[in-house]
Amino acid sequence: MTFILIAHDKPGALEIRKANRDAHLAYLSETGVGTFGGPMLDADGNMCGSMLILDVADMAAAEAWAAGDPYAKAGLFESVEIKGFKQVVGL
């Protein structure tokens, strides 16, 4: 199934994001479930959240993947929302 994950960083957490970026990208590569995504940007162009499309078996797998993300483990996110997703256009 396909899911969209939208995570908003805690205010003032840019340094946490930067410090854990390599581990996050390695996790994405190792798990292979992220099919599209990247950082969300604030008005100044700074990273302030994440949007990912995940291809996993079910919601439980999406939630488990999100919990294992180094960003989540580092306490980066203020909120995380995961919803089922149906692609209609693009990519």
Side-chain angles (χ1 to χ4, degrees):
M1 270 184 89
T2 304
F3 295 88
I4 186 168
L5 179 149
I6 298 175
H8 297 273
D9 295 358
K10 292 178 180 173
L14 183 58
E15 293 308 314
I16 295 172
R17 175 177 280 276
K18 289 179 178 178
N20 290 278
R21 187 167 170 78
D22 288 344
H24 167 73
L25 294 174
Y27 182 66
L28 279 165
S29 179
E30 291 164 7
T31 59
V33 302
T35 61
F36 181 81
M40 297 187 297
L41 306 177
D42 65 16
D44 296 322
N46 293 313
M47 296 177 287
C48 64
S50 298
M51 188 289 300
L52 291 168
I53 302 296
L54 303 173
D55 185 13
V56 293
D58 53 29
M59 179 61 84
E63 291 170 343
W65 186 93
D69 182 354
Y71 280 166
K73 289 181 174 183
L76 174 63
F77 300 129
E78 180 175 58
S79 65
V80 176
E81 183 176 14
I82 302 172
K83 298 281 187 183
F85 181 78
K86 179 180 178 183
Q87 181 180 337
V88 177
V89 297
L91 307 178

